[in-house]
Amino acid sequence: MVQTFDLYKDDKIVQAGVTSPIEIDGLTPNTQYDNFELAYKGKVDKTQLSFKTMVQLVTGISLDKTTLALDTGSNATLKAAVDPTDATNKVVVWSSDNTAVATVDNAGKVTAVKAGTANITAKTDDQGKTAVTKVTVTDPAPAE
């Protein structure tokens, strides 16, 4: 015989007639919860539930541009999107493989130093996922 339960949060039923294992929607990863209770369907006696949700690991990262063209001395900011959107640790570390041509700060701001090419890499702190933008720097055309 399958057991059926009612799930309460703050003394209100949030899910009625659930079976084991119980899945609770709308929870935040890596968070402690102490305000849930469980009762057999139709019964008054409740059991307190205290639990912590699991960490949501990073599965990927993408950048808003795969290529970027800049004139020497100019800059642009790349935007990183970490997946999933509810990942627990969304820290991104930025780097350039050729800082003589283009540098990048910890906010993704790329500065063109001199003509050439450089790869700007965004790497997640969690799971080490990477995305790369190829930057081409050219000297600006002389003013006429």
Side-chain angles (χ1 to χ4, degrees), residues 11-23:
D11 286 326
K12 294 179 184 167
I13 293 180
V14 292
Q15 287 177 279
V18 296
T19 58
S20 183
I22 298 168
E23 294 182 17

Side-chain angles (χ1 to χ4, degrees), residues 39-77:
Y40 286 104
K41 177 101 176 128
K43 302 294 182 184
V44 181
D45 294 333
K46 300 175 196 164
T47 301
Q48 291 271 347
L49 295 179
S50 180
F51 57 91
K52 184 172 183 176
T53 53
M54 294 175 41
V55 170
Q56 182 68 33
L57 299 176
V58 170
T59 59
I61 185 172
S62 59
L63 294 172
D64 62 334
K65 295 178 179 74
T66 56
T67 61
L68 180 63
L70 293 172
D71 287 338
T72 302
S74 65
N75 60 62
T77 300

